[in-house]
Amino acid sequence: DGGITQSPKYLFRKEGQNVTLSCEQNLNHDAMYWYRQDPGQGLRLIYYSQIVNDFQKGDIAEGYSVSREKKESFPLTVTSAQKNPTAFYLCASSIGPLPGYGYTFGSGTRLTVV
Amino acid sequence: AQTVTQSQPEMSVQEAETVTLSCTYDTSESDYYLFWYKQPPSRQMILVIRQEAYKQQNATENRFSVNFQKAAKSFSLKISDSQLGDAAMYFCAYRSIIQGAQKLVFGQGTRLTINP
């Protein structure tokens, strides 16, 4: 079945460590996105990529980094510069220049700083 | 930049009754898409319904329908015959049709509780 796989489902990070969240899709979608979800704030865009080897900052990119070396993969690294990384992270993809189709989402990763 | 506002952090409804969730948005564009997504306790985001601003007819998907008021920039979701499985967070979202600006912009969400 086609879809988006995020791993791990739960992730614990110590202060000062970098961690990488995985996002893989087999939908042949061009565009991929990372959102952060906090209680009462909806989903906020961290980074997005519309084609391989290209990505743009979203609204809250500070303390995060991404890469898009393959169409299927869009990993997100949460660096030690991110002051409040505890949150739920959602990865999504879309067909690209077809805005009417919305997004397909992964099941999310819950990151907790310990 | 576009913004989406959901003014009801929480709503509750009796099973089998009808509930309406509110959403307003701000944009200077004339054509765009609007969406409602559902996030149940599993936290998997599920597309409920979509509306293209160019179309005046309100979208309907089974028990879910929208009231799209373009001039008022309002996009409410009506759920008829509410079921226990409808309990979830509901997010309204806006998407531009402009190439390069097609990221989804979400509202803050409304938590819907269904009372048996």
Side-chain angles (χ1 to χ4, degrees):
Chain A
D1 288 338
I4 297 181
T5 301
Q6 288 188 244
S7 60
K9 191 174 181 66
Y10 299 96
L11 186 57
F12 297 89
R13 191 195 91 172
K14 292 183 179 180
E15 294 275 358
Q17 283 184 339
N18 292 354
V19 290
T20 297
L21 283 58
S22 171
C23 178
E24 303 277 337
Q25 55 100 357
N26 60 3
L27 299 164
N28 200 33
H29 284 175
D30 293 305
M32 297 187 74
Y33 309 81
W34 275 105
Y35 283 86
R36 170 177 171 145
Q37 185 176 12
D38 296 282
Q41 297 195 51
L43 280 69
R44 294 181 291 167
L45 182 65
I46 305 172
Y47 268 99
Y48 63 104
S49 168
Q50 294 181 301
I51 56 172
V52 175
N53 293 321
D54 186 48
F55 48 83
Q56 288 80 40
K57 293 182 179 180
D59 302 317
I60 55 165
E62 184 176 353
Y64 300 97
S65 66
V66 294
S67 63
R68 186 85 187 277
E69 297 176 0
K70 298 186 300 182
K71 189 175 186 178
E72 301 80 18
S73 179
F74 192 42
L76 174 73
T77 296
V78 184
T79 74
S80 56
Q82 170 50 235
K83 299 304 180 188
N84 184 22
T86 294
F88 186 67
Y89 292 87
L90 279 163
C91 179
S93 70
S94 67
I95 292 176
L98 296 173
Y101 284 88
Y103 290 2
T104 300
F105 284 87
S107 56
T109 293
R110 175 69 183 177
L111 173 63
T112 303
V113 173
V114 296
Chain B
Q2 293 83 15
T3 59
V4 178
T5 302
Q6 294 178 247
S7 59
Q8 307 154 315
E10 297 183 352
M11 292 280 286
S12 64
V13 65
Q14 290 296 124
E15 191 177 4
E17 293 188 348
T18 295
V19 63
T20 299
L21 308 183
S22 301
C23 173
T24 59
Y25 58 94
D26 187 27
T27 184
S28 59
E29 297 171 357
S30 59
D31 199 12
Y32 44 86
Y33 284 87
L34 296 164
F35 302 84
W36 278 98
Y37 279 87
K38 169 184 177 180
Q39 188 182 43
S42 67
R43 306 201 79 169
Q44 179 72 50
M45 295 285 282
I46 302 165
L47 177 63
V48 175
I49 200 165
R50 82 187 88 212
Q51 174 83 40
E52 183 176 5
Y54 186 77
K55 296 181 179 178
Q56 295 184 348
Q57 185 173 6
N58 289 326
T60 299
E61 290 286 344
N62 300 315
R63 297 182 296 106
F64 298 86
S65 62
V66 299
N67 183 6
F68 173 51
Q69 300 290 328
K70 190 174 184 180
K73 296 180 182 176
S74 171
F75 183 60
S76 60
L77 174 69
K78 185 172 81 171
I79 306 174
S80 303
D81 186 25
S82 298
Q83 301 175 0
L84 294 177
D86 295 333
M89 283 288 289
Y90 285 82
F91 292 97
C92 178
Y94 173 102
R95 193 174 194 191
S96 171
I97 65 166
I98 297 175
Q99 187 71 19
Q102 292 166 345
K103 52 191 184 292
L104 272 175
V105 178
F106 288 88
Q108 304 92 322
T110 296
R111 182 175 301 280
L112 178 63
T113 302
I114 311 296
N115 300 313

